[in-house]
Amino acid sequence: MSDKLTRLALAGALALTLLAGCGDRRAEGAQGPGASPPPPLPVTTLTVAPKRIQVTLEAVGRAEGSREVEVRARVSGILERQLFREGDAVRAGAPMYRIERAPFEIALQRAKAALAETQARRERAAVEAARLKKLLGERAVSQREYDDAAASLAQLDAALQAARAGVREAELDLSYTSVEAPASGVAGRSLRSEGSLVGTSRDDGLLTTIVRHDPLWVRFSLSESEYARLRAGRGEKSRVAVRETPGQGGSASQLTGKLNFTGSRVDPQLGTVQLRAEFANPDSRLLPGQYLGLAVEIGETDAILVPQSAVQQGDRGSFVWVVGDDDTVAPRPVKTGEWVGRDWVVREGLKAGERVAVDNLIRLRPGAKVAPKPPAPAS
């Protein structure tokens, strides 16, 4: 019995030894020097080359009407009627309000009566002065009597001028009862209701405002260095484009305008120079008070562009994956500038003719072999 158990134990040990040997040979076959390497990773590459681009300065500005006018009452009285609709466009000279006329019509009649009375007194004084002058020549009156008559005539001439000015003033006050638009534009909210007593003071004289939307002005500022670049480029002939409206988070359809004002001094606190651009705005797409993203075009230059997706961020800043002549990749630190459409401007780190990987970037490792392929044609 013991011999039988011994033979079974030896047979089992031999089987385990054979299995272990087979496993070692399989492991050697998988890890040995004859194993096939992994296939190259397919990546899309872009051969960079200089392109002619616009040099722009980015800024944020605030829109305002090219004319913003207060409509005020110039005489005191009861506001009888409002003659416009709030928010509608009005033309210069169009009637907007009517103030009660009766008190000013009465004042005009009184001024005309005073003028007529002064005119009559002046004519009588002129006749008297002429009569005394004739008598003075005949030595029938004294020089003093004639001088008094001449002085009275001169006083009445001055009074006549004052009476005429009074009539003119009364006519103006009567005309001011019709409040007309001082400029063309869009009428704002009416600040006084019909039946209100309005005056000429700062508090109770403001009736509404008119804002001209077309053209629209946008005020913005540039730093001293940016302003120096502007002056060295196209200067005041630079074009200004509206790129976006930050308040709405969207595009502004690339409205293009021109500079119509540049400041003559640097703000000592902010170190900036004030500028203003003018835009055609016939459909009131932009409104005064909006904040707008602006691009000031100051000239053209040659630059290397890469897609934004090709630029990665690492511990040492921005970098791209450059594909060498042997189709291996290596990270390359770059210094980027502004955006041009969907591309970055690369200021430093790349040369014309080099290939940059633009996809599969997360799977790349330094020295990895890749299979470059050209980018797909744009649709």
Side-chain angles (χ1 to χ4, degrees):
M1 184 69 180
S2 59
D3 293 340
K4 186 178 181 180
L5 291 175
T6 302
R7 287 195 298 271
L8 289 174
L10 291 173
L14 180 61
L16 291 174
T17 303
L18 291 174
L19 288 174
C22 291
D24 290 342
R25 285 193 296 271
R26 285 196 297 267
E28 289 175 0
Q31 299 178 3
S36 59
L41 181 66
V43 295
T44 302
T45 60
L46 175 69
T47 302
V48 297
K51 294 182 179 180
R52 197 71 176 171
I53 64 168
Q54 285 283 350
V55 180
T56 60
L57 301 175
E58 303 292 333
V60 176
R62 190 171 187 179
E64 62 181 27
S66 53
R67 293 195 70 178
E68 297 183 358
V69 184
E70 294 181 343
V71 180
R72 289 185 170 272
R74 302 179 71 175
V75 292
S76 299
I78 300 299
L79 191 63
E80 287 187 334
R81 192 173 177 186
Q82 177 181 319
L83 305 174
F84 71 100
R85 292 180 58 184
E86 298 169 318
D88 281 0
V90 297
R91 290 188 174 275
M96 301 188 70
Y97 295 94
R98 188 171 65 223
I99 299 174
E100 185 181 11
R101 292 174 57 90
F104 301 98
E105 291 173 344
I106 294 172
L108 177 58
Q109 291 175 358
R110 286 177 177 172
K112 288 181 177 180
L115 174 61
E117 179 184 359
T118 305
Q119 181 72 37
R121 291 170 55 196
R122 192 267 175 200
E123 290 176 358
R124 180 179 177 180
V127 171
E128 181 66 14
R131 187 180 68 83
L132 290 179
K133 184 176 182 179
K134 182 178 179 181
L135 293 176
L136 180 62
E138 298 174 354
R139 297 185 181 275
V141 295
S142 65
Q143 182 68 38
R144 180 176 181 180
E145 289 177 310
Y146 171 73
D147 291 343
D148 289 343
S152 297
L153 179 59
Q155 290 176 349
L156 288 173
D157 283 338
L160 184 61
Q161 292 181 5
R164 288 172 179 166
V167 171
R168 179 59 180 153
E169 182 179 15
E171 289 174 344
L172 278 176
D173 287 344
L174 180 60
S175 69
Y176 291 155
T177 59
S178 177
V179 181
E180 299 177 347
S184 299
V186 178
R189 180 175 65 89
S190 181
L191 303 178
R192 292 288 183 271
S193 302
E194 295 178 355
S196 302
L197 176 64
V198 297
T200 58
S201 68
R202 183 174 182 84
D203 295 331
D204 59 5
L206 181 60
L207 304 179
T208 187
T209 57
I210 295 176
V211 180
R212 186 178 180 184
H213 290 179
D214 184 29
L216 191 78
W217 289 351
V218 179
R219 291 186 180 272
F220 63 99
S221 59
L222 297 176
S223 67
E224 293 184 63
S225 58
E226 291 174 331
Y227 183 68
R229 292 177 62 191
L230 172 69
R231 294 292 299 271
R234 294 174 179 169
E236 296 183 358
K237 296 182 180 180
S238 298
R239 295 193 307 169
V240 184
V242 176
R243 284 193 169 174
E244 61 181 355
T245 54
Q248 299 176 355
S251 172
S253 300
Q254 283 291 331
L255 293 179
T256 303
K258 60 182 180 180
L259 290 176
N260 67 354
F261 168 79
T262 56
S264 58
R265 61 187 297 270
V266 176
D267 188 312
Q269 296 181 344
L270 302 177
T272 58
V273 179
Q274 291 290 323
L275 298 99
R276 187 180 67 205
E278 179 179 308
F279 296 89
N281 190 38
D283 54 358
S284 297
R285 184 185 310 172
L286 303 177
L287 297 176
Q290 279 185 286
Y291 285 97
L292 306 173
L294 303 177
V296 185
E297 299 176 357
I298 62 174
E300 295 183 345
T301 188
D302 292 328
I304 290 179
L305 306 179
V306 297
Q308 296 176 16
S309 59
V311 180
Q312 305 289 294
Q313 296 295 324
D315 296 338
R316 298 182 180 180
S318 302
F319 69 93
V320 297
W321 289 99
V322 176
V323 180
D325 295 337
D326 57 353
D327 292 340
T328 60
V329 294
R332 176 79 61 79
V334 293
K335 183 178 180 180
T336 58
E338 64 273 11
W339 286 3
V340 176
R342 297 183 177 181
D343 298 334
W344 278 112
V345 173
V346 177
R347 298 192 182 280
E348 296 178 8
L350 287 178
K351 296 182 296 183
E354 292 186 309
R355 294 182 297 172
V356 174
V358 297
D359 62 6
N360 269 341
L361 305 180
I362 197 171
R363 301 174 62 186
L364 297 179
R365 297 293 181 271
K369 198 78 171 180
V370 296
K373 60 180 180 178
S379 58

